[in-house]
Amino acid sequence: MNVRWSNRFRALEVHWSDLALVLVVIILVIAGSISGHTDSADQPIDGLAIALGVIGALSLAVSRRFPQVMIGVAATVIFAYLARGYPGGPALLVGPLSMALAGYRASRTVALVGATVMSAAVIIGQWIGEGHLGTIAIAGPAWAFTLALAGILLSARTERAAAQRERDEMRRRQAMTDERLNIARDLHDSVAHALATINVQAGVAAHLLDRQPHQAKAALEAIRQASSEVLDELGTMLETLRDHDQGAPRSPTATLGQVPGLIERARADGLTVNYRPEGDVDAVSSTMSTAAFRVIQESLNNVRRHAGTSPVVEISVVADPPHSLAVSVSDDGGRPDGTKAVAPEPGTGLGIIGMTERVESSRGTIEVGPKSSGDGYRVIARWGQGTPA
């Protein structure tokens, strides 16, 4: 039985707060009839007056689902109550309450039409009941429209607050999504770079271990250095994630100032790299500097994966701080007749996507594709009016 009634209330969108309001009004109606307050000229409160008050109170329960029904029942109750000549009392609370609820829960049109209907019910009801317009008829339209408008204004304010909360939540989720993308890019760039180095150097070490152990030792040292660096960077990222709830800002993990170290590791992997920086590279904004570093890093990784033996890489950076920067990374494709000590695994295809997202998120543009000569690839990234050398 309880489940069946609960389902019915749910279908009518009746909340416990609505039932509490109905109960309070019914108690006031009954208490008012028991007090026996009346003037000699008024119709004594009888069972019909109580019934009208109870019916009006019950109509308040459907204000969410059927506000028009509530308005119609409440106006009818007020009209009948006043037309019978009953004195003012708690039963008349149904009028003001229904108008406030209509303004808050119904559309503006329904609320204003309801206020008009309620005003007519009050005026005509008192005219029939007493033969003249008294205080109730004069005040009726005033409180009907005032409470309906108050409900409308409160509803609009509540809707604005809800919309603002939704916008704040969307911004928060977008910020979290952007942060996850940044971390994913950092993980891909740093880990992929380190693994590419480790992969190449491990192949070299395995190839030279028996014949040239001294060179194999150098390869193993490069592996140790690359793994140490990636562990440090992963530690920084994990610390950032751990402190994220406290609002710790994420600082860039790499900038153009670290490109020389990147190039040294690439040369140790067998790449010939020529680096030409122009302008004040260190004065470039941190956002552009980090994005540019990642472009160079991923480009070198792609050369390791896809170029032939002993590729030559040309890197140019032209900086015009604080808002102009251009980066160009090109290779000659290497020697296709050679063989590598080890064949790296094919990439995931996320490197170019990550580079593009980084550059575009920092308001830059990027071009990736084969060189016009047909030998090797070229990556060009620009911010502002930067032009690669």
Side-chain angles (χ1 to χ4, degrees):
M1 180 66 70
N2 291 336
V3 174
R4 184 162 62 251
W5 278 106
S6 177
N7 291 336
R8 290 177 180 176
F9 286 149
R10 191 176 296 111
L12 295 174
E13 298 184 12
V14 177
H15 293 193
W16 291 111
S17 58
D18 301 326
L19 296 178
L21 177 62
V22 170
L23 181 60
V24 169
V25 175
I26 291 175
I27 291 174
L28 291 175
V29 169
I30 295 175
S33 66
I34 294 175
S35 67
H37 173 72
T38 182
D39 296 329
S40 58
D42 292 326
Q43 174 72 19
I45 294 178
D46 53 17
L48 178 58
I50 297 174
L52 289 172
V54 171
I55 293 172
L58 292 174
S59 71
L60 302 178
V62 298
S63 61
R64 298 176 190 270
R65 184 72 175 84
F66 302 106
Q68 297 93 333
V69 173
M70 175 195 66
I71 293 171
V73 172
T76 302
V77 165
I78 294 296
F79 170 79
Y81 190 92
L82 293 176
R84 287 281 296 174
Y86 293 122
L92 296 178
L93 282 174
V94 173
L97 290 174
S98 65
M99 290 297 95
L101 291 174
Y104 185 72
R105 293 172 179 170
S107 66
R108 294 183 181 182
T109 300
V110 171
L112 294 177
V113 171
T116 302
V117 172
M118 184 62 70
S119 299
V122 171
I123 294 172
I124 298 173
Q126 189 173 42
W127 179 270
I128 294 174
E130 299 184 9
H132 65 277
L133 299 180
T135 303
I136 294 178
I138 296 173
W143 57 252
F145 281 96
T146 298
L147 291 174
L149 290 173
I152 291 173
L153 293 176
L154 182 59
S155 176
R157 181 176 180 181
T158 303
E159 290 176 358
R160 286 196 299 270
Q164 183 61 44
R165 287 194 298 271
E166 184 175 355
R167 288 192 294 270
D168 292 342
E169 178 65 15
M170 290 180 64
R171 282 194 291 266
R172 187 185 68 83
R173 291 182 180 180
Q174 184 61 47
M176 291 178 63
T177 300
D178 293 341
E179 187 70 7
R180 291 191 184 101
L181 287 175
N182 287 333
I183 293 172
R185 295 187 194 112
D186 286 346
L187 284 172
H188 175 273
D189 293 342
S190 59
V191 174
H193 174 74
L195 290 180
T197 297
I198 291 172
N199 190 41
V200 171
Q201 295 293 349
V204 171
H207 187 68
L208 299 177
L209 186 60
D210 294 330
R211 293 178 295 177
Q212 300 179 6
H214 293 293
Q215 292 187 13
K217 181 178 180 181
L220 293 174
E221 176 61 23
I223 292 174
R224 185 199 66 77
Q225 182 179 356
S227 60
S228 175
E229 290 174 355
V230 75
L231 285 174
D232 290 341
E233 193 156 357
L234 285 174
T236 300
M237 294 179 191
L238 291 174
E239 184 177 355
T240 299
L241 289 173
R242 187 179 300 112
D243 295 339
H244 182 69
D245 292 337
Q246 282 73 41
R250 297 187 71 245
S251 58
T253 56
T255 62
L256 285 173
Q258 300 177 28
V259 169
L262 194 67
I263 292 174
E264 288 301 319
R265 290 192 294 274
R267 289 170 177 166
D269 292 342
L271 278 64
T272 300
V273 183
N274 299 316
Y275 178 44
R276 292 175 298 154
E278 296 182 15
D280 191 355
V281 174
D282 294 332
V284 174
S285 69
S286 60
T287 301
M288 289 193 298
S289 184
T290 300
F293 175 89
R294 295 304 186 188
V295 167
I296 297 173
Q297 184 181 53
E298 182 59 28
S299 298
L300 291 175
N301 288 339
N302 288 336
V303 173
R304 289 187 182 92
R305 293 191 186 102
H306 306 297
T309 303
S310 303
V312 177
V313 183
E314 300 288 340
I315 301 175
S316 70
V317 176
V318 180
D320 185 13
H323 303 302
S324 182
L325 176 68
V327 174
S328 173
V329 183
S330 63
D331 68 273
D332 63 355
R335 296 198 306 271
D337 57 339
T339 58
K340 293 184 178 182
V342 61
E345 293 294 328
T348 62
L350 298 177
I352 294 178
I353 295 175
M355 282 195 298
T356 302
E357 289 178 345
R358 280 186 179 278
V359 173
E360 291 180 350
S361 67
S362 57
R363 300 183 179 181
T365 60
I366 187 170
E367 302 173 15
V368 181
K371 294 165 61 177
S372 58
S373 62
D375 297 326
Y377 265 68
R378 189 179 189 187
V379 178
I380 300 175
R382 297 183 178 89
W383 292 264
Q385 302 298 319
T387 301

